[in-house]
């Protein structure tokens, strides 16, 4: 383990926010560029989806390992190493001359992001103490995170149309350089302790393989279907490996994920909430984007620009969440936020094949985005409440895994439901009907998330931010 100072909190926040922005940006920026990528590199239609899927696979599969590695080998070390690797693979992707080279680069980006995302959140939670300061820091971090995802669509459209698809990869380089430049200015270095426990190798193998197979099985449902032998066997193998992981974690001295952490109502409730909310949010992005392009006939750049009000709404919601939860439990913002987002998605579900941006997109976009903004920082605060410093990376890895898995599973399941409603129809009315159903189910998931926040999360913060009990050798001690 490591001892460290808190460094310069403002610099830590800036570095973590910029890093999270580029990770979120890269999850969305490539989507709009896929047709140009296919033409330029000669992708077979069935293989093109792997440009997106392989990033989700490596990112989701290695998050738990990345989070625990932060605790054992140093948050700053994982943060800077992950960012450097992310930049390298972005450069290789931008220079790719063959399909396999781009897919390999995207896999490397996902692996690097699995180190950066939990390290960024762990740096914040160990720099800012629970309460007002942490809520404010997480508010900034979550707003930038959401902006990265929403602006990724805009950036992808503009870069592809005016600069070429390679710039959706190369644009990461100056952003990463900015984050790395902040590290020596104020991100604290950590002194290695002699009693650092060994990495739980068996748990790492089981968790990474099991989670990776789960993501792999889910993302392939777009071509294989949920009931195909390939999907069922993959998901079955994932379930066996994850069950073995839980059993193994209960028997090792220094586990990858301490099961006692998940018995906390704060941690468990926040992770269930974020899983459900991510499922609804990712699906909403997907269906609304398809609606604007496939039904309203908007171009890629115009569709990207249409998400700008969404980004603004998230910022407004995040600022409001900071004020609401400064002296209250995170559920004070999570419950109304989830309800507001659910209402916005229900409004989206009224979309018409003869509609337009002003009548069918703008209003529900603002309502949904403000609701989601009310949730982002408070759910991160809840997931780290009472967590010892030495397990900050572990908690961050679990939260990021829940978000990533929720998005993958939710999007795949809702896309299947939408396709079932659409059937063999290809006209605007048939497509509109499928998209509306998908968005409506997403709203229902957010209603369930609100119920989880109301029934699982405590009404009040723990007295004096009492830490959850951890194994002695896992606790970090600040210098």
């Amino acid at each position: 383990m490591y001892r460290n100072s808190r460094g310069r909190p403002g610099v830590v926040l800036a570095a973590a926010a910029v890093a999270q922005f580029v990770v979120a940006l890269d999850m969305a920026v490539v989507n709009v560029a896929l047709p140009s990528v296919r033409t330029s590199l000669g992708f077979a239609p069935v293989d093109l989806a792997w440009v997106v899927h392989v990033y989700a696979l490596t990112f989701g599969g290695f998050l738990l390992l990345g989070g625990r590695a932060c605790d054992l080998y140093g948050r700053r070390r994982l943060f800077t190493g992950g960012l450097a690797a992310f930049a390298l693979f972005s450069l290789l992707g931008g220079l790719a001359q063959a399909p396999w080279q781009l897919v390999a680069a995207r896999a490397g980006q996902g692996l690097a992001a699995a180190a950066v995302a939990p390290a960024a959140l762990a740096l914040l939670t160990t720099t800012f103490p629970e309460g007002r300061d942490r809520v404010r820091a997480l508010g900034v971090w979550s707003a930038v995170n959401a902006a990265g995802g929403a602006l990724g669509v805009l950036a992808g459209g503009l870069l592809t149309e005016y600069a070429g698809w390679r710039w959706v990869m190369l644009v990461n380089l100056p952003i990463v350089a900015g984050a790395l430049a902040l590290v020596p200015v104020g991100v604290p270095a950590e002194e290695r302790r002699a009693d650092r426990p060994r990495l739980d190798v068996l748990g790492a193998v089981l968790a990474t393989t099991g989670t990776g197979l789960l993501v792999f099985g889910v993302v392939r449902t777009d071509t294989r279907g949920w009931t195909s032998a390939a999907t069922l066997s993959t998901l079955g193998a994932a379930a066996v490996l994850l069950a073995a992981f839980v059993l193994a974690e209960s028997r090792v001295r220094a586990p990858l994920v301490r099961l006692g952490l998940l018995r906390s109502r704060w941690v468990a409730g926040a992770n269930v909430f974020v899983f459900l909310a991510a499922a609804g949010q990712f699906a909403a992005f997907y269906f609304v984007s398809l609606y604007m392009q496939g039904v309203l006939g908007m171009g890629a750049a115009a569709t990207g620009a249409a998400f700008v009000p969404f980004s603004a709404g998230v910022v407004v919601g995040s600022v409001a969440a900071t004020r609401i939860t400064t002296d209250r439990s995170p559920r004070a913002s999570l419950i109304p936020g989830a309800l507001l987002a659910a209402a916005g998605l229900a409004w989206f579900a009224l979309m018409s094949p003869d509609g337009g941006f002003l009548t069918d997109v703008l209003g529900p976009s603002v309502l949904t985005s403000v609701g989601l903004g009310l949730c982002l920082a408070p759910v991160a605060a809840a997931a780290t409440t009472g967590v010892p410093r030495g397990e900050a990376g572990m908690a961050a890895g679990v939260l990021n895994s829940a978000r990533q898995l929720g998005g993958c599973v939710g999007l795949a399941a809702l896309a299947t439901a939408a396709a079932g409603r659409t059937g063999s129809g290809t006209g605007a009315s048939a497509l509109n009907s499928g998209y509306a159903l998908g968005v409506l189910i997403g709203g229902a998931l957010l209603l369930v998330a609100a119920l989880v926040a109301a029934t699982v999360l405590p009404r009040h913060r723990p007295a004096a931010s009492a830490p959850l009990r951890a194994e002695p050798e896992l606790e970090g001690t600040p210098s």
Side-chain angles (χ1 to χ4, degrees):
M1 291 298 297
Y2 297 75
R3 292 186 176 90
N4 69 345
S5 68
R6 287 196 170 93
R8 298 173 62 182
V11 175
V12 173
L13 175 57
V18 173
Q20 191 62 34
F21 175 85
V22 74
V23 170
L25 178 80
D26 217 62
M27 293 181 68
V29 72
V30 173
N31 293 338
V32 181
L34 289 179
S36 296
V37 170
R38 180 179 59 193
T39 301
S40 175
L41 297 184
F43 267 91
V46 70
D47 295 330
L48 185 63
W50 281 105
V51 176
V52 176
H53 289 344
V54 75
Y55 182 90
L57 178 64
T58 53
F59 183 38
F62 285 89
L63 274 169
L64 291 178
L65 178 59
R68 189 56 178 141
C70 294
D71 297 328
L72 298 182
Y73 303 110
R75 291 173 282 274
R76 180 171 129 157
R77 181 171 295 167
L78 264 290
F79 184 74
T80 54
L83 280 174
F86 194 90
L88 173 61
F89 286 115
S90 296
L91 175 62
L92 293 176
L95 299 177
Q97 300 298 314
W100 72 267
Q101 294 173 352
L102 181 58
V103 171
R106 289 286 289 167
Q109 282 184 311
L111 182 61
V116 173
L121 182 54
L123 280 170
L124 289 181
T125 58
T126 54
T127 299
F128 295 90
E130 287 182 19
R132 183 188 303 267
D133 290 343
R134 182 178 295 182
V135 168
R136 288 177 174 174
L138 290 174
V140 174
W141 172 82
S142 60
V144 173
N145 179 31
L151 293 178
V153 182
L154 172 62
L158 293 176
L159 289 171
T160 301
E161 188 166 338
Y162 298 111
W165 71 265
R166 295 183 184 278
W167 280 97
V168 303
M169 303 290 288
L170 299 176
V171 71
N172 296 328
L173 300 180
I175 303 174
V176 170
L180 287 173
L182 293 170
V183 172
V185 177
V187 178
E190 296 152 321
E191 180 183 348
R192 186 169 177 173
R193 283 178 50 177
D195 60 344
R196 172 175 59 84
R198 294 181 179 180
L199 179 67
D200 174 19
V201 176
L202 176 60
V205 171
L206 291 173
T208 300
T209 308
T211 308
L213 280 177
L214 176 60
V215 175
F216 179 63
V218 168
V219 299
R220 286 204 310 171
T221 56
D222 59 348
T223 57
R224 300 298 182 95
W226 284 92
T227 58
S228 69
T231 298
L232 293 177
S233 60
T234 303
L235 296 181
V240 170
L241 288 170
L242 292 175
F245 168 70
V246 173
L247 179 63
E249 297 306 272
S250 65
R251 300 187 176 187
V252 297
R253 188 176 182 185
L256 193 71
V257 176
R258 183 171 61 84
L259 300 183
L261 185 71
L262 302 179
R263 288 195 287 269
S264 161
R265 289 176 61 188
W266 288 107
V267 177
N271 279 282
V272 173
F273 181 97
V274 83
F275 180 91
L276 294 167
Q281 175 190 348
F282 280 41
F285 269 45
Y286 177 74
F287 291 121
V288 174
S289 177
L290 291 178
Y291 169 72
M292 287 190 287
Q293 295 183 76
V295 177
L296 300 185
M298 297 171 60
T303 298
F307 278 95
V308 173
F310 190 97
S311 300
V314 170
V315 173
V316 170
S318 297
V319 172
T322 300
R323 297 182 178 181
I324 291 171
T325 59
T326 295
D327 300 310
R328 299 183 181 92
S329 168
R331 57 177 267 156
S333 183
L334 290 175
I335 296 172
L339 292 175
L340 198 62
L345 292 183
W347 187 359
F348 262 132
L350 300 177
M351 61 180 64
S352 166
D354 301 316
F357 171 75
L358 294 178
T359 56
D360 293 70
V361 177
L362 181 59
S365 267
V366 172
L367 191 63
T368 303
S369 61
V370 171
L372 291 173
L374 287 170
C375 298
L376 294 175
V379 78
T384 56
T385 295
V387 174
R389 287 176 60 85
E391 295 181 348
M394 180 189 296
V398 172
L399 180 67
N400 278 285
S401 292
R403 177 181 289 113
Q404 183 68 9
L405 291 176
C408 287
V409 174
L411 179 56
L414 270 60
T416 300
R421 168 69 69 85
T422 301
S424 59
T426 57
S429 295
L431 294 174
N432 183 86
S433 179
Y435 301 156
L437 177 62
V439 171
L440 187 62
I441 298 174
L445 291 174
L446 280 156
L447 283 178
V448 178
L451 181 62
V452 169
T455 57
V456 178
L457 293 179
R459 292 179 178 273
H460 305 287
R461 295 182 184 275
S465 298
L468 305 173
R469 187 175 66 85
E471 297 298 329
E473 69 270 14
L474 299 184
E475 294 182 356
T477 305
S479 57

